[in-house]
Amino acid sequence: MGKNNFRFWILVSIVSISGFSQGMLLPLISVIFENSGLPSSLNGINATALYIGTLVASPFMEQPLRRFGYKPIIIFGGLAVVVSLISFPLWKTFWFWFFLRLLIGIGDHALHFATQTWITSFSSPKKLGRNISLYGLFFGIGFAVGPLMTPLVKVNQALPFIISSLLCLIGWLFVFTLKNEFPDQDIEVNSFLKTIKRFSSALKYGWVAFLPPLGYGFLESSLNGSFPVYALRNSIDVKNVSILLAAFAIGSIVFQLPLGMMSDKYGRRNILIFILLFGSICFTTASFVEGSITALFLCLFIAGMLVGSTFSLGISYMADLMPKNLLPTGNLMCGIFYSLGSLGGPFIGGLFIQFFRNISYFHIISTILFVVFLTILTFGHKSLVTVKQK
């Protein structure tokens, strides 16, 4: 038990530092490019590099994990992030920074994929929700603290990158203290074709569990990327926009662990149904109280408490539905669906704001959450895996 705890806390600490670097890069590079006079459209395109890196790398992640084990994949991912972060100050051009963010997307995905799969493999069913919620909590805290590095750009443009790379390096060194392990497998994965077949099997068992990460990716990226535009066009000033986004982030952090523990007790599907329904209601309510910053703050804070755990609960739910030998594939699919949602969020949100000017932006988020709620309510039964195990 002591070994499991030591390993667990090292893994979640690494994830928190990864969250810190991701949270820092989004606003930091946007501010640097904005101050350099880069058009906002190109600024947004540069930000998608991280998610493109995740998607490009996804089909090629499982094979090395099964062959080399968890530890080498985490070491590779951490090294890619550290080297990329320290390289940003070397040459400030659009395409060089795009390439570095692409590498960070690949490195972060390798790191998260290996840590998620490792945690889901050694966690007992009674503590799975708690452990994955702590994983999400530590990432969320790191992601929330990251933007605080942005003002350091006024001191020295390279300083935030240096601090972030040093923190990642410290976390990366701790990985070497862990003993390598391998995922459960009854079939040798030795070809790209077999990996694609396992993707198909994972979809058959757990497709419904991939929808919460998809929805959360859309929600998070759209809220951070599209809501500020909508708010400014509706006479909400920049200061209040940051306060409202912080309300959602704080709500997400506060309730990660309680919801994870509740999912262990009452079932992942039941908790997901509850939070998605009432999260949808919260965003619908927000659409009617846009004139009051206080009311909006409360709506977004409560929405954060509810749906801020959607991604971590989706991973736990996937682990419930998936045969253990398919856990690596299931974790990969969670990452892929999250990235797809993250890529689509700002684009779809931007189109909605542009063409539906008389309809509240919050309606698109409430609709997405409600559709995921209905799908899990209708199809989210633990049937296929139960038959398999019997």
Side-chain angles (χ1 to χ4, degrees):
M1 189 60 70
K3 184 187 78 170
N4 276 354
N5 282 334
F6 176 74
R7 176 176 52 191
F8 174 74
W9 289 112
I10 284 181
L11 293 177
V12 296
S13 298
I14 293 165
V15 165
S16 70
I17 296 169
S18 170
F20 172 82
S21 64
Q22 283 189 39
M24 180 200 75
L25 283 177
L26 284 168
L28 177 65
I29 294 181
S30 293
V31 167
I32 292 173
F33 276 151
E34 181 67 23
N35 291 338
S36 301
L38 190 78
S40 58
S41 57
L42 290 178
N43 205 331
I45 289 171
N46 198 274
T48 65
L50 190 141
Y51 304 114
I52 293 171
T54 299
L55 289 173
V56 167
S58 290
F60 307 99
M61 285 288 178
E62 186 179 7
Q63 212 173 323
L65 180 76
R66 292 182 179 274
R67 183 177 178 185
F68 301 111
Y70 300 110
K71 182 177 170 179
I73 302 302
I74 296 173
I75 289 172
F76 161 77
L79 183 62
V81 171
V82 171
V83 171
S84 299
L85 285 171
I86 202 65
S87 299
F88 273 98
L90 299 179
W91 189 25
K92 194 181 81 172
T93 67
F94 178 89
W95 289 112
F96 182 61
W97 281 20
F98 184 94
F99 175 70
L100 291 179
R101 291 174 97 167
L102 195 77
L103 282 182
I104 288 177
I106 294 170
D108 268 330
H109 187 48
L111 192 151
H112 285 288
F113 166 53
T115 52
Q116 280 175 25
T117 309
W118 207 349
I119 291 171
T120 52
S121 68
F122 71 70
S123 297
S124 67
K126 292 181 179 179
K127 287 190 175 181
L128 179 60
R130 166 193 170 273
N131 286 352
I132 293 297
S133 66
L134 280 170
Y135 171 94
L137 173 64
F138 272 68
F139 178 81
I141 291 172
F143 196 87
V145 172
L148 298 178
M149 293 288 104
T150 305
L152 293 179
V153 76
K154 295 178 180 178
V155 180
N156 188 302
Q157 199 172 95
L159 188 58
F161 297 108
I162 293 170
I163 292 174
S164 182
S165 61
L166 286 174
L167 287 172
C168 288
L169 178 63
I170 292 167
W172 181 72
L173 290 173
F174 275 100
V175 181
F176 289 90
T177 65
L178 300 178
K179 182 181 178 182
N180 190 28
E181 291 183 0
F182 293 80
D184 285 1
Q185 51 189 324
D186 52 14
I187 302 170
E188 188 68 30
V189 178
N190 51 23
S191 71
F192 180 74
L193 182 61
K194 287 187 177 179
T195 299
I196 297 301
K197 287 181 178 178
R198 293 175 78 82
F199 275 31
S200 176
S201 297
L203 276 170
K204 182 178 72 173
Y205 282 104
W207 67 271
V208 73
F210 303 140
L211 297 181
L214 176 75
Y216 184 73
F218 180 93
L219 163 64
E220 183 184 58
S221 64
S222 180
L223 202 60
N224 286 292
S226 300
F227 173 66
V229 176
Y230 175 80
L232 292 172
R233 290 185 181 184
N234 285 272
S235 303
I236 300 174
D237 61 39
V238 175
K239 180 182 175 183
N240 285 329
V241 170
S242 62
I243 290 171
L244 291 172
L245 291 176
F248 182 86
I250 293 167
S252 301
I253 291 169
V254 165
F255 236 58
Q256 280 272 353
L257 185 57
L259 280 174
M261 295 174 73
M262 287 169 66
S263 75
D264 286 332
K265 185 174 182 180
Y266 300 109
R268 244 70 73 181
R269 176 175 174 266
N270 294 332
I271 297 300
L272 276 168
I273 286 171
F274 173 82
I275 64 170
L276 288 166
L277 174 60
F278 286 95
S280 176
I281 291 171
C282 278
F283 279 109
T284 302
T285 304
S287 69
F288 295 107
V289 296
E290 290 179 0
S292 168
I293 297 299
T294 304
L296 265 182
F297 181 93
L298 286 172
C299 284
L300 289 178
F301 179 75
I302 295 169
M305 289 172 61
L306 291 166
V307 296
S309 301
T310 310
F311 180 73
S312 56
L313 284 173
I315 294 173
S316 305
Y317 187 36
M318 176 278 301
D320 286 343
L321 296 173
M322 203 70 62
K324 202 151 189 178
N325 67 302
L326 282 175
L327 273 181
T329 316
N331 277 282
L332 259 184
M333 297 294 284
C334 284
I336 290 171
F337 274 75
Y338 169 78
S339 296
L340 289 171
S342 298
L343 278 171
F347 177 70
I348 295 171
L351 287 178
F352 187 87
I353 292 168
Q354 184 176 344
F355 293 107
F356 298 93
R357 296 180 181 179
N358 297 323
I359 302 175
S360 173
Y361 158 79
F362 292 114
H363 284 313
I364 190 171
I365 293 181
S366 64
T367 301
I368 293 290
L369 294 175
F370 190 73
V371 169
V372 178
F373 153 75
L374 281 179
T375 307
I376 293 177
L377 181 68
T378 307
F379 301 105
H381 295 286
K382 190 178 175 182
S383 54
L384 276 172
V385 72
T386 305
V387 172
K388 176 90 173 175
Q389 287 172 345
K390 285 182 180 179

